[in-house]
């Protein structure tokens, strides 16, 4: 009904819109004209002020003004005012026009009444149709509400069914796993009972059996009734598997005992079946302990027997001549021995010379193949002790590392447990090594051999640390505790022997390098070169003490020579020899090299002054005296020495060539090192030129410029050219 009313209103408004517009405009104009007429008419009675109530809202002047102003803006009012039309007449005309329009509008309504009625009927029909549609839609809405509730119910049922399905699947998974673990397949029984332990199938079934045993133990803790159904079968299979594994491992261990057996092969076989021991350890600890004890006992005896035999055979290829307590650095080569004493070494110098012995520390030889004693005996080969020591301990290192890794892998031990098990196997062998070492060291006087053994151990210790094998660390420390004190004792004995040396008992004096200093040079260079890789402060301290004693010995020996010149020749020859030997092996910046360089330089300068003093002593003394007076400004004191100066100038000019020649020959005869002799000659000639240059400088002073003998001075440049001719070349 509301929709029909709205449609009727719309039609009515659309038909009469034009008429209403015209009527509204006309009505507005007429109202304005009437107001004007009333305002202007003389018939309007005059208003009295007493009749106005200006306190009320009915008469508000401001609003009247606004209303008048708005009407004046109307187009019709403007047109009427402009044309000067009579407002009364115009008002009647407007009323007439309004009546005419009203009549026309009524006629239009009457004319369109049929259409309006038809439209009303259509609207009524539409309204009934829409009402029926509204009923249908309400029914649809009710049906949809019921469907939604049904869908929600189905969704809840689906969620519930899904939860039940998941629970059943979880239960099924656990039950199937439980059943699988509880069931003992026939294939497992037949393989465990009949197949050899070396078969891959046996190993696989053993893993399965171990899982079932562990699962049965877990179920027994939970008091699961199903566990009792399989317990008897599993126990029987376990006993059978343990028996077969025990026999197999013990058989492999017993095979180690066969002569000439390479025990590494059965060890590698055991590593392939390391799970066997794990199975024993998890299920039969008593049998696992029996197997481990049998292995420890067997391998302990094998290693002890092998290394005892090998060490004994190595000693048979050692050099027969070894150093004794009399083979010290300060002992005279010609020292006599008693009737019952053993013959001395053919050359004591070999005790203090490293030679090729240091090659034992090279990486190629340090980790090279071990010596084969019977092969060396057939070839009549002999070796120094450090070579045998290296071979013996490299065999120990190689076997020890391999054994430690095998124990950790097969017996599943680590840390202190692994070290304890290793010591149970190798302890007897290591004790035998230490005892043998102690016996050798107590009677050893070969300091280089002992020092090389120390550095062999230091390098082997670094190798085991790099391999992360701590098993031999305590043994290395024990060996070093034996070797270091002995090395220090031998070194102190050598120091004491040099300190106690009596120069008068060492035979004829000779300016050539002494054999004791040569021994020291060879020995010191050997120790310094070896010590560079693993520096040791105790060694450096003892070498410093030895150097001090050798320097004192050289000074004592030099004091035995009657002339200072011979003393200096002896000192220079010995310092030069020691420096040359040291520089072959030691670093140029080592303390020993720097010390002897300073000593050699000081004695060389002194020797140059000594050999120049004989032929040119007068001139040298005059130059030094004059330079001293020149510094004090007292050179005039030598004005009366004209005869002395004349003699010096003429004597030098006449004999300098012969003197230089004799000086060169004397120097070359005095020094065994031609290179050193050449350097001394060059230094002497250079010093001579400097003195002669000073002589020129003194005579050029005002006090001597008037001397006639100045013209006989040799030109300095000419002297330098002539001196170069006497420079020896080698």
């Amino acid at each position: 009904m509301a929709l029909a009313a709205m449609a009727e209103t719309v039609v009515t408004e659309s038909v009469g819109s034009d008429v209403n517009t015209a009527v509204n405009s006309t009505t507005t104009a007429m109202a304005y004209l009437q107001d004007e007429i009333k305002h202007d008419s003389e018939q309007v009675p005059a208003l009295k002020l007493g009749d106005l109530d200006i306190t009320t809202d009915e008469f508000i002047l401001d609003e009247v003004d606004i209303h008048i102003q708005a009407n004046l803006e109307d187009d019709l009012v403007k047109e009427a005012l402009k044309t000067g039309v009579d407002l009364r007449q115009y008002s009647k005309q407007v009323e007439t026009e309004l009546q005419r329009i009203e009549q026309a509008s009524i006629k239009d309504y009457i004319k369109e009444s049929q259409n309006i009625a038809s439209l009303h009927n259509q609207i009524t029909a539409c309204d009934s149709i829409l009402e029926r549609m509204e009923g249908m839609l309400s029914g649809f809405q009710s049906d949809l509400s019921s469907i939604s509730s049904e869908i929600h119910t189905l969704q809840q049922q689906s969620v519930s069914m899904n939860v039940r399905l998941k629970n059943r699947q979880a239960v099924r998974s656990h039950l199937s796993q439980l059943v699988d673990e509880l069931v003992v397949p026939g294939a497992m029984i037949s393989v465990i009972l009949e197949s050899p332990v070396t078969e891959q199938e046996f190993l696989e079934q053993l893993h399965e059996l171990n899982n079932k045993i562990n699962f049965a133990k877990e179920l027994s803790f939970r008091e699961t009734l199903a566990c009792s159904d399989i317990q008897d079968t599993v126990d029987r299979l376990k006993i059978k598997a343990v028996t077969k594994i025990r026999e197999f491992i013990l058989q492999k261990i017993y095979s180690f005992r066969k002569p000439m057996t390479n025990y590494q092969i059965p060890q590698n076989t055991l590593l392939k079946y390391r799970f066997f021991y794990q199975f024993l350890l998890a299920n039969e600890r008593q049998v696992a302990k029996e197997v481990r004890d049998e292995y420890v006992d067997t391998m302990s005896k094998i290693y002890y027997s092998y290394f005892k035999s090998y060490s004994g055979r190595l000693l048979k290829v050692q050099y027969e001549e070894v150093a004794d307590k009399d083979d010290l650095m300060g002992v005279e080569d010609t020292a006599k021995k008693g009737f019952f004493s053993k013959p001395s070494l053919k050359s004591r110098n070999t005790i203090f010379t490293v030679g090729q012995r240091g090659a034992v520390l090279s990486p190629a030889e340090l980790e090279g193949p071990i010596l084969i004693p019977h092969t060396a005996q057939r070839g009549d080969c002999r070796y120094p002790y450090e070579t045998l020591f290296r071979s013996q301990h490299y065999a120990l290192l190689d076997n020890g590392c391999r054994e430690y890794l095998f124990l950790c892998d097969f017996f599943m031990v680590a840390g202190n447990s692994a070290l304890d098990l290793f010591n149970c196997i190798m302890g007897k062998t290591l004790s035998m090594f230490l005892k043998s070492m102690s016996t050798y060291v107590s009677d050893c006087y070969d300091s280089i051999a002992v020092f090389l053994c120390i550095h062999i151990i230091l390098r082997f210790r670094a190798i085991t640390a790099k391999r992360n094998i701590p098993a031999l660390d305590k043994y290395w420390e024990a060996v070093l505790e034996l070797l270091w004190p002995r090395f220090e004792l031998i070194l102190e004995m050598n120091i004491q022997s040099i300190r106690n040396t009596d120069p008068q008992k060492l035979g004829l004096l000779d300016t050539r390098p002494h054999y004791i200093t040569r021994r020291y040079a060879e020995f010191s260079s050997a120790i310094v070169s070896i010590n560079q890789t693993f520096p040791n402060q105790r060694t450096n301290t003892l070498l410093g003490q030895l150097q001090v004693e050798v320097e004192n010995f050289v000074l004592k020996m030099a004091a035995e020579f009657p002339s200072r010149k011979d003393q200096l020749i002896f000192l220079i020859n010995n310092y030069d020899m020691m420096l040359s030997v040291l520089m072959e092996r030691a670093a140029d910046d080592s303390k020993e090299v720097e010390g002897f360089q300073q000593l050699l330089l000081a004695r060389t300068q002194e020797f140059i002054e000594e050999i120049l003093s004989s032929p040119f002593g007068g001139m040298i003394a005059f130059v030094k005296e004059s330079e001293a007076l020149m510094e004090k400004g007292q050179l005039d004191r030598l004005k009366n020495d004209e005869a002395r100066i004349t003699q010096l100038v003429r004597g030098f000019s006449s004999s300098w060539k012969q003197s230089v020649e004799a000086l060169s020959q004397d120097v070359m005869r005095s020094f065994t090192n031609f290179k050193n002799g050449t350097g001394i000659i060059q230094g002497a000639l250079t010093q001579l030129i400097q003195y002669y240059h000073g002589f020129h400088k003194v005579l050029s002073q005002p006090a001597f410029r008037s001397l006639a003998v100045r013209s006989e001075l040799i030109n300095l440049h000419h002297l330098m050219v002539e001196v170069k001719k006497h420079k020896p070349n080698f």
Side-chain angles (χ1 to χ4, degrees):
M1 295 298 293
L3 186 62
M6 289 175 63
E8 184 177 359
T9 302
V10 170
V11 172
T12 304
E13 289 179 355
S14 62
V15 172
S17 60
D18 294 336
V19 176
N20 290 335
T21 302
V23 171
N24 290 334
S25 300
T26 305
T27 302
T28 302
M30 289 179 65
Y32 178 75
L33 291 175
Q34 289 176 357
D35 291 337
E36 289 294 323
I37 291 170
K38 290 178 180 180
H39 184 270
D40 295 333
S41 176
E42 295 177 356
Q43 296 177 0
V44 176
L47 295 174
K48 296 180 180 181
L49 295 175
D51 298 331
L52 296 177
D53 185 7
I54 60 176
T55 62
T56 65
D57 295 333
E58 296 179 359
F59 191 80
I60 300 174
L61 295 178
D62 291 339
E63 293 183 358
V64 172
D65 290 340
I66 293 171
H67 181 68
I68 294 172
Q69 187 65 33
N71 289 330
L72 289 176
E73 295 295 330
D74 188 85
D75 293 337
L76 293 175
V77 175
K78 287 181 179 181
E79 183 180 357
L81 292 175
K82 288 180 181 180
T83 55
V85 177
D86 187 0
L87 295 179
R88 295 183 182 89
Q89 185 65 33
Y90 187 73
S91 176
K92 292 179 179 181
Q93 184 180 352
V94 169
E95 289 180 356
T96 304
E97 185 67 22
L98 288 174
Q99 292 176 357
R100 187 185 62 80
I101 292 171
E102 182 179 359
Q103 293 296 325
S105 176
I106 293 171
K107 290 179 179 181
D108 287 338
Y109 275 112
I110 295 171
K111 183 179 179 179
E112 296 293 332
S113 61
Q114 295 294 329
N115 293 334
I116 293 172
S118 177
L119 178 63
H120 176 73
N121 293 332
Q122 291 177 2
I123 291 171
T124 303
C126 288
D127 190 30
S128 64
I129 292 171
L130 291 174
E131 185 176 359
R132 288 197 303 272
M133 291 180 64
E134 182 180 4
M136 292 173 63
L137 291 175
S138 298
F140 289 159
Q141 183 177 7
S142 176
D143 294 341
L144 289 175
S145 298
S146 62
I147 291 173
S148 175
S149 63
E150 291 177 1
I151 292 174
H152 182 69
T153 303
L154 291 175
Q155 185 178 8
Q156 290 179 344
Q157 293 176 357
S158 176
V159 171
S160 176
M161 292 174 65
N162 188 32
V163 171
R164 290 198 299 271
L165 177 62
K166 289 183 178 179
N167 292 336
R168 291 176 182 179
Q169 288 177 343
V171 171
R172 179 184 177 183
S173 174
H174 288 294
L175 287 176
S176 62
Q177 182 180 358
L178 177 63
V179 172
D180 291 341
E181 294 291 343
L182 286 175
V183 172
V184 180
M188 176 187 291
I189 297 173
S190 61
V191 169
I192 295 296
L193 295 178
E194 300 173 4
S195 297
V197 296
T198 55
E199 294 291 335
Q200 180 64 27
E201 189 178 11
F202 180 87
L203 185 61
E204 293 174 357
Q205 293 299 332
L206 188 66
H207 278 87
E208 291 296 327
L209 177 60
N210 189 59
N211 292 334
K212 292 186 181 299
I213 293 172
N214 293 333
F215 189 71
K217 290 179 181 179
E218 183 180 351
L219 291 180
S220 65
F221 290 131
R222 300 178 185 176
E223 299 181 356
T224 305
L225 297 178
C227 178
S228 58
D229 295 339
I230 64 164
Q231 189 66 50
D232 184 60
T233 304
V234 170
D235 289 343
R236 291 181 181 182
L237 287 177
K238 180 182 73 172
I239 293 171
K240 184 61 178 178
V242 168
T243 303
K244 294 177 71 173
I245 291 172
R246 175 182 176 277
E247 292 176 357
F248 172 75
I249 296 178
L250 290 179
Q251 181 184 1
K252 290 297 179 184
I253 294 174
Y254 293 151
S255 67
F256 295 170
R257 302 175 181 180
K258 296 179 182 179
M260 307 300 293
T261 298
N262 184 358
Y263 62 86
Q264 296 175 9
I265 295 176
Q267 271 188 340
N268 293 334
T269 303
L270 286 177
L271 286 177
K272 290 172 58 179
Y273 303 103
R274 61 174 64 87
F275 181 71
F276 288 174
Y277 183 80
Q278 182 179 348
F279 182 83
L280 294 179
L281 193 64
N283 299 288
E284 285 293 339
R285 286 186 173 272
Q286 191 64 32
V287 177
K289 183 177 183 303
E290 177 190 0
V291 169
R292 190 177 71 172
D293 291 346
E294 192 65 33
Y295 177 83
V296 169
D297 182 65
T298 300
M299 293 307 297
S300 176
K301 293 177 180 178
I302 289 174
Y303 280 125
Y304 180 78
S305 175
Y306 167 72
F307 279 108
K308 183 178 181 181
S309 173
Y310 183 67
S311 301
R313 292 178 181 178
L314 281 179
L315 292 177
K316 294 179 181 179
V317 295
Q318 184 182 0
Y319 281 132
E320 295 180 357
E321 293 184 351
V322 294
D324 60 18
K325 62 181 179 180
D326 294 323
D327 294 314
L328 300 174
M329 197 175 295
V331 176
E332 183 184 358
D333 272 343
T334 58
K336 296 180 180 180
K337 291 188 175 281
F339 180 76
F340 295 102
S341 61
K342 63 181 181 180
S344 178
L345 294 178
K346 294 179 180 178
S347 176
R348 282 196 180 86
N349 289 334
T350 57
I351 305 173
F352 309 104
T353 304
V354 68
Q356 296 300 319
R357 298 169 68 182
V360 74
L361 297 178
S362 64
E365 189 167 341
L366 187 69
E367 300 184 56
I370 63 174
L371 292 177
I372 310 299
H374 61 272
T375 303
Q377 284 180 314
R378 283 201 300 267
D380 198 22
C381 297
R382 298 289 175 176
Y383 300 95
Y385 178 77
E386 64 271 7
T387 302
L388 309 181
F389 181 88
R390 194 283 316 174
S391 182
Q392 181 188 43
H393 281 79
Y394 187 69
L396 174 65
L397 181 147
D398 192 41
N399 285 276
C401 291
R402 185 181 293 108
E403 185 64 31
Y404 180 80
L405 293 175
F406 174 82
L407 295 176
C408 294
D409 198 0
F410 186 78
F411 291 105
M412 296 179 298
V413 290
N416 292 330
S417 299
L419 294 178
D420 293 340
L421 188 58
F422 179 84
N423 290 329
C424 290
I425 294 174
M426 299 296 293
K428 192 174 179 181
T429 301
L430 298 179
S431 298
M432 182 263 293
F433 271 22
L434 291 174
K435 184 177 180 181
S436 174
M437 185 77 57
S438 178
T439 303
Y440 169 78
V441 166
S442 63
D443 195 36
C444 176
Y445 296 90
D446 188 351
S447 54
I448 290 182
V450 176
F451 198 62
L452 286 172
C453 291
I454 289 173
H455 278 264
I456 288 171
I457 293 298
L458 292 175
R459 284 161 173 78
F460 282 168
R461 185 172 65 179
I463 291 173
T464 54
K466 185 177 180 180
R467 296 181 183 179
N468 196 22
I469 306 294
L472 293 170
D473 289 351
K474 291 185 178 179
Y475 174 75
W476 300 140
E477 294 298 329
V479 174
L480 291 175
E481 288 176 2
L482 284 175
L483 295 177
W484 273 118
R486 188 63 187 181
F487 173 73
E488 294 174 1
L489 176 62
I490 300 172
L491 207 54
E492 289 171 355
M493 292 173 65
N494 281 284
I495 293 172
Q496 190 63 36
S497 69
I498 295 177
R499 185 182 296 128
N500 297 336
T501 300
D502 186 356
Q504 296 180 355
K505 296 181 180 180
L506 296 179
L508 297 175
L509 294 176
D510 191 348
T511 57
R512 290 176 297 181
H514 199 274
Y515 58 82
I516 290 181
T517 58
R518 180 170 292 278
R519 291 175 187 172
Y520 162 76
E522 295 287 351
F523 177 78
S524 182
S525 64
I527 299 301
V528 169
S529 62
I530 295 171
N531 199 47
Q532 286 175 350
T533 308
F534 292 92
N536 182 269
Q537 188 58 39
R538 292 185 296 178
T539 304
N540 293 333
T541 302
L542 290 172
L543 284 178
Q545 296 176 8
L546 181 62
Q547 181 179 350
V548 171
E549 294 300 329
V550 169
E551 291 175 3
N552 293 336
F553 165 76
V554 172
L555 293 176
K556 287 193 296 183
M557 286 297 299
E560 296 294 317
F561 291 91
S563 66
R564 184 56 181 169
K565 178 181 175 182
D566 290 338
Q567 292 177 359
L568 292 173
I569 292 173
F570 177 80
L571 292 173
I572 292 173
N573 275 329
N574 281 275
Y575 291 153
D576 178 65
M577 182 273 299
M578 289 188 285
L579 185 61
S580 300
V581 174
L582 282 169
M583 292 183 68
E584 289 178 2
R585 297 184 180 274
D588 293 343
D589 58 348
S590 65
K591 182 176 66 175
E592 292 79 9
V593 171
E594 291 179 352
F596 284 115
Q597 282 178 337
Q598 295 174 1
L599 291 172
L600 179 61
L601 180 62
R603 295 296 175 259
T604 300
Q605 288 298 119
E606 186 179 352
F607 178 74
I608 289 174
E609 296 291 337
E610 184 69 25
I611 60 176
L612 290 177
S613 64
S614 179
F616 308 108
M619 181 189 69
I620 293 172
F622 177 77
V623 170
K624 291 181 177 179
E625 182 182 357
S626 300
E627 289 177 347
L629 292 174
M630 285 173 61
E631 291 178 359
K632 298 178 182 180
Q634 301 174 359
L635 192 60
D636 294 339
R637 293 173 56 182
L638 298 177
K639 284 184 177 181
N640 299 326
D641 290 347
E642 181 178 354
R644 177 186 175 190
I645 295 172
T646 301
Q647 181 182 0
L648 291 175
V649 172
R650 292 174 179 174
F652 182 85
S653 301
S654 62
S655 63
W656 75 269
K657 290 185 179 181
Q658 295 83 355
S659 299
V660 169
E661 184 68 28
L663 180 147
S664 299
Q665 294 177 1
D666 185 33
V667 169
M668 298 310 297
R669 285 194 302 268
S670 300
F671 297 101
T672 55
N673 185 348
F674 290 138
K675 183 178 179 181
N676 184 40
T678 302
I680 292 175
I681 292 175
Q682 291 179 356
L685 295 178
T686 301
Q687 190 66 31
L688 176 62
I689 292 174
Q690 290 178 355
Y691 279 131
Y692 199 68
H693 179 264
F695 191 52
H696 268 264
K697 185 177 179 181
V698 171
L699 294 184
S700 64
Q701 296 299 316
F704 304 110
R705 287 177 182 174
S706 60
L707 296 178
V709 75
R710 289 183 68 249
S711 61
E712 299 181 21
L713 287 171
I714 300 174
N715 182 270
L716 192 61
H717 180 70
H718 175 70
L719 178 63
M720 293 173 63
V721 173
E722 291 295 326
V723 164
K724 286 183 179 180
K725 296 179 181 179
H726 293 273
K727 177 182 177 182
N729 295 312
F730 294 98

